[in-house]
Amino acid sequence: MYRNYAKQDVINNEVGLTVRLAAMNTTTPSPDAEDSVVSDEALLIAVGNNQDVDAFNQLFTRFAKKILALGMKLTRNEQLANDLIQESMLNVWLKAPLYDLDKGSAKGWIFTLSRNRCFDMLRKQKRQPNCISADDIWPLESGAEPTMVHEDIAGQQVELSVIEGYFDKLPDSQRAVVEQIYIKDRTHEEAAAHLQIPLGTLKSRLRLGVAKLRNMIGVDQ
Amino acid sequence: MNTEVKLHPSTELLNRFVQGELVTGKSVVVAAHVELCESCSAKAEELQALAVSSWVDPGNVLQPDQSSAADYSSTVARIVTYPQIKSEPIEDLVEVDIDVLNHSIKLPKVLAKAASQGLKWKKVPGGISEAQLFLDNETLCEFIYMAPGCQIPVHTHQGSESTLVLDGSFEDELGEYKTSDFIIRDAQHNHQPLSTEGCLCFAVLDSPLKFTKGLARLMNPVNRYKFKKAISRVA
Ligand SMILES: [Zn+2]
C-alpha cells in the first residue's frame, strides 16, 4: 500500500532493536551510495523517531569533516570551525524530528543547519546586535502547525461515505498519514514511527492532505 | 565601463548569499529581494542545491583537530542527553508597516524582523528621510524615503551600495527602478537619483557616499562621520 517505502534497508541498532529504515522516493541517492549503505535520510529518521544513538554516531562520522570544511571556509578560524562541528551536530540531534524528507535531502538539511549556526556564531563572536539571526535570513518554509481536530471535518455535515470517496482520491503518501491520525487514531509520533518517516514530514503531509480534503468538501457543496 | 543595469543580484552575489559568505547587512538586503522575487528565490534554491552537492570531505590537509576528534564520543554522549524538539517553535509574527504620505508599506519579513526594535527617522535636506538599522560592523544599512519630486545630490560610492526598492520608483542616468528591483552601484557610477512619485528603499553601503558636485560636497565629512558612527554603534 505504501509504495513510498518499497525499498527498505535493515540495520540493527545497539540496543538490539531491528529498525526498518525507509528509503525515499523523493530524493536521488548520492552516486556513491550503494544499496548496502544506509542513506543519510534513514539515519536521520532513526535519530528523530527512535533517538537512535548509533545512527547519530554514524551521521557524526559522515558530516564532521564536511562541517569543519564549511567552518574553515566561513570563519578562517580553526577553533571556531571545530566548535561549529559540535554546535551543528547538537542541532542535528535536537531538530531531527523536524526534518521533512519531502523538502530535500538530509545532507541539504544539515548543510542549512550548519551554515546558519556558523552565521550566528560569527555574529556572536563579532558582538553584532542580535535583532536578526540566520533563521530570519534563510527562513525554513514553515507551515503553521496543523491545528485541526476531528470535529472539523465532521462539523461540515457531509456523509461519511462522501468523505471516504474523497479520502481515496488523496495521493498515497497523504492518505497514509490521514489514515493513521483520523482512522487509526494514532498520535503524530506513533504515526511517524509506524510509517518510518520524520515527524516533520508527517505533519506537513497531514497538513496538505487535510487541506485537500477540506477543499474537496468545500468545492462540492 | 560596464554600465549594465542589474535589477536582480548577480549569480555570483546570490551564490555567496546561499553559501553564507556575505556580511549581515548584505545578507539581509539580498534575502529581502529573494523574498520578493520569485525567479531569484528559485535561483537561490538551485545554487544552494549545487553548494550541497559539492559539499564534500576536505582532503588530507584539513583534519578535525586531534583533541576534538578524540573527544567525539564524549561529545556524542553529551549531546544525546538533550531532549529533542518535537515541533517548530511558533514565532511571533513580526509585522512592520512604514507609513508614507497616503499609504502604508508592509516590509518583507526579514526587514520587518530587522526593524522590529523600532526605526528612528531623520529628515535630511531635499525631502529625504532616513532611518538606520544596525546589523553588523562593516556596513551602513538604512531605509531611505524620497518624497515625490525629490532628488539626491550627485554622488559616487567608494565601495558598493546595494539598494532594494520597496515601494514607488526612482530613476537616474542609467535607468528607472521599480518596486523589488535590486540595484548595485559602485565607484564607477556617478549618479543622481530622482523620484517623481516618491520612493522607499533599503540600502546597504560598505563605505560612505561621496558627493561630487556643488554645495553637497560640503556634506562629505558628514557622510564619513555618519558612516563611522554607524559602524562604531555596533563595534
Ligand atoms: Zn530577483
Short mmCIF file of all heavy atoms in Angstrom, two decimals, chain B residues 45 64 79 86 179 191 198 215:
data_model
loop_
_atom_site.label_atom_id
_atom_site.label_comp_id
_atom_site.label_asym_id
_atom_site.label_seq_id
_atom_site.Cartn_x
_atom_site.Cartn_y
_atom_site.Cartn_z
N GLU B 45 17.56 28.64 -4.64
CA GLU B 45 17.37 27.24 -4.28
C GLU B 45 18.30 26.33 -5.11
O GLU B 45 18.90 25.40 -4.58
CB GLU B 45 15.93 26.83 -4.52
CG GLU B 45 15.24 26.28 -3.29
CD GLU B 45 13.75 26.09 -3.53
OE1 GLU B 45 13.39 25.06 -4.14
OE2 GLU B 45 12.96 26.97 -3.12
N PRO B 64 39.93 17.48 11.49
CA PRO B 64 39.46 17.97 12.78
C PRO B 64 40.62 17.85 13.76
O PRO B 64 41.40 16.91 13.67
CB PRO B 64 38.35 16.98 13.14
CG PRO B 64 37.93 16.35 11.86
CD PRO B 64 39.14 16.34 10.98
N ILE B 79 25.66 15.11 23.87
CA ILE B 79 24.57 15.62 23.02
C ILE B 79 23.29 14.81 23.19
O ILE B 79 22.20 15.37 23.30
CB ILE B 79 25.01 15.65 21.53
CG1 ILE B 79 26.00 16.78 21.30
CG2 ILE B 79 23.80 15.80 20.62
CD1 ILE B 79 26.58 16.84 19.89
N LYS B 86 10.21 18.65 19.30
CA LYS B 86 9.22 17.90 18.53
C LYS B 86 8.40 18.77 17.58
O LYS B 86 7.76 18.27 16.67
CB LYS B 86 8.27 17.16 19.48
CG LYS B 86 8.98 16.20 20.42
CD LYS B 86 9.36 14.90 19.71
CE LYS B 86 10.03 13.95 20.70
NZ LYS B 86 10.41 12.70 20.09
N THR B 179 9.54 48.88 -7.72
CA THR B 179 9.41 48.03 -6.54
C THR B 179 10.04 46.65 -6.78
O THR B 179 9.81 46.04 -7.82
CB THR B 179 7.93 47.87 -6.15
OG1 THR B 179 7.38 49.18 -5.99
CG2 THR B 179 7.78 47.11 -4.85
N HIS B 191 26.04 59.07 -9.84
CA HIS B 191 24.61 59.18 -10.17
C HIS B 191 23.85 60.14 -9.28
O HIS B 191 24.32 60.57 -8.24
CB HIS B 191 23.96 57.80 -10.25
CG HIS B 191 23.72 57.14 -8.94
ND1 HIS B 191 22.70 56.28 -8.72
CD2 HIS B 191 24.38 57.24 -7.77
CE1 HIS B 191 22.74 55.87 -7.46
NE2 HIS B 191 23.75 56.42 -6.88
N GLY B 198 7.78 59.41 -5.57
CA GLY B 198 8.11 59.05 -4.20
C GLY B 198 8.61 57.62 -4.17
O GLY B 198 8.27 56.82 -5.05
N LEU B 215 27.38 72.39 -3.62
CA LEU B 215 27.43 72.54 -2.17
C LEU B 215 27.35 71.21 -1.42
O LEU B 215 27.80 71.11 -0.29
CB LEU B 215 26.26 73.44 -1.71
CG LEU B 215 26.45 74.94 -1.96
CD1 LEU B 215 25.18 75.69 -1.55
CD2 LEU B 215 27.63 75.46 -1.14
#
